[in-house]
Amino acid sequence: MIRIYLVLLVIIIAFFGVRAFLKTSPAVLAYYIKRLLLIVAGLIVVYLTATGRLNWLFALAGVAVAFILRLMPTLLRYSPYLHRLWSEFNAAKQNTSQRQNKTDTKSHMSAEEAYEVLGLKMGASEAEIVAAHRKLMQKIHPDHGGSNYLAAKINLAKKVLLKK
């Protein structure tokens, strides 16, 4: 009888754990996974130290230090080139993201598409357009967890319909 209760308890805990896992943002999950990996690595080192099986780790560290010291002159010789490559890579990545943002917000939209985005019928009044825009922005604004892309589309639809 006790086993049934334990199995039910495990199922309930697993259900709520999976539910919380799915609701958690990826950034928070990444933080907790990193912490968990550090704790597991620390526990492994403590275990290896307590059982006297840490010798191979020190040997590996010695080999790594020797390898790095032998590689250091080569790395120093090529460091200006590596730094230039890294700078160009970062600049290209930033330019790409800026270009994507510019094309997303400056795209053209027809009046029919604008009415569809705001959920209005053709020929809606200016007050209806403003009210629909406000209602959608309250739901989809990036500050409230919404998408920058959708907010830009909604703003563009309002701009097209009000011709501003």
Side-chain angles (χ1 to χ4, degrees):
M1 189 68 173
I2 292 177
R3 289 182 183 171
I4 294 173
Y5 289 132
L6 287 176
V7 169
L8 285 174
L9 181 64
V10 168
I11 290 172
I12 290 170
I13 290 172
F15 171 75
F16 284 111
V18 168
R19 192 170 156 196
F21 176 78
L22 293 175
K23 287 184 177 181
T24 307
S25 70
V28 173
L29 286 177
Y31 171 77
Y32 283 124
I33 288 172
K34 287 177 187 175
R35 296 290 296 252
L36 180 66
L37 289 176
L38 285 174
I39 290 170
V40 168
L43 289 174
I44 289 172
V45 168
V46 167
Y47 172 75
L48 290 175
T49 302
T51 58
R53 299 180 186 163
L54 205 57
N55 299 339
W56 64 270
L57 187 61
F58 289 121
L60 184 65
V63 169
V65 167
F67 181 73
I68 289 172
L69 289 177
R70 289 252 175 149
L71 193 63
M72 192 61 69
T74 307
L75 287 176
L76 290 175
R77 186 177 330 129
Y78 290 111
S79 65
Y81 304 111
L82 294 173
H83 179 70
R84 185 173 49 85
L85 276 172
W86 182 254
S87 299
E88 289 175 4
F89 172 74
N90 282 335
K93 190 166 57 170
Q94 288 176 352
N95 288 340
T96 302
S97 66
Q98 288 173 354
R99 233 181 291 127
Q100 285 177 347
N101 288 340
K102 287 179 184 177
T103 57
D104 287 348
T105 57
K106 292 189 177 183
S107 61
H108 297 288
M109 180 183 290
S110 66
E112 293 81 19
E113 186 180 0
Y115 280 117
E116 186 178 330
V117 166
L118 293 177
L120 298 172
K121 295 181 181 176
M122 294 289 281
S125 68
E126 184 175 330
E128 290 173 331
I129 293 169
V130 171
H133 174 266
R134 183 175 291 125
K135 182 180 175 185
L136 286 172
M137 284 304 284
Q138 287 173 348
K139 292 179 183 177
I140 301 179
H141 197 276
D143 291 345
H144 300 292
S147 165
N148 286 335
Y149 175 77
L150 292 176
K153 281 289 192 184
I154 293 169
N155 286 332
L156 184 61
K158 177 185 171 189
K159 185 177 178 182
V160 166
L161 294 177
L162 297 179
K163 294 176 180 58
K164 290 185 179 179

